[in-house]
Amino acid sequence: IETQQFLRHIKLNGRMFADIASNGTQVSIMEAIDIDSDEDNFVFVFNLAEVCDINIPVDKLWRRVRIFEKQSATKAGVALSSTCLVLSHGDNVNIQDFWKGN
């Protein structure tokens, strides 16, 4: 950020986050794994230009949500390419191609 200006906070239902990735167009934010919970975890994908536009309220940002089952995982990671979201959690790696045609 050239101006070093703070742009925004993104809070999502009190969730805690541990990993972030960007492909230059989108940014993904991966929820931290709570080893004491049996609930699935979430990855939120946002349009990076919109996230950096302070005139767009958080609730109006374009977003996609992906759920991943943590199973026995204690760590997880996320990466983005121009077409794929890659999630690693425990002994699983999920590759989701959900940008084609967008």
Side-chain angles (χ1 to χ4, degrees), residues 11-15 44:
K11 292 186 177 187
L12 300 165
N13 301 323
R15 296 184 181 281
F44 296 85

Side-chain angles (χ1 to χ4, degrees), residues 24-55:
T25 305
Q26 290 100 6
V27 61
S28 62
I29 305 170
M30 177 177 261
E31 183 178 13
I33 289 182
D34 179 355
I35 59 173
D36 296 324
S37 172
D38 291 330
E39 293 184 16
D40 293 336
N41 289 67
F42 294 86
V43 174
F44 296 85
V45 179
F46 294 94
N47 176 288
L48 186 57
E50 287 187 10
V51 168
C52 293
D53 183 344
I54 60 174
N55 296 311

Side-chain angles (χ1 to χ4, degrees), residues 30-97:
M30 177 177 261
E31 183 178 13
I33 289 182
D34 179 355
I35 59 173
D36 296 324
S37 172
D38 291 330
E39 293 184 16
D40 293 336
N41 289 67
F42 294 86
V43 174
F44 296 85
V45 179
F46 294 94
N47 176 288
L48 186 57
E50 287 187 10
V51 168
C52 293
D53 183 344
I54 60 174
N55 296 311
I56 301 174
V58 171
D59 64 334
K60 301 295 183 193
L61 294 172
W62 175 93
R63 74 180 72 186
R64 295 290 183 267
V65 179
R66 293 294 182 254
I67 298 172
F68 68 94
E69 298 176 2
K70 71 176 184 184
Q71 298 166 339
S72 62
T74 57
K75 292 185 179 183
V78 63
L80 290 173
S81 73
S82 61
T83 60
C84 294
L85 174 70
V86 180
L87 308 174
S88 66
H89 48 103
D91 61 355
N92 295 298
V93 175
N94 297 338
I95 301 170
Q96 299 179 4
D97 186 0

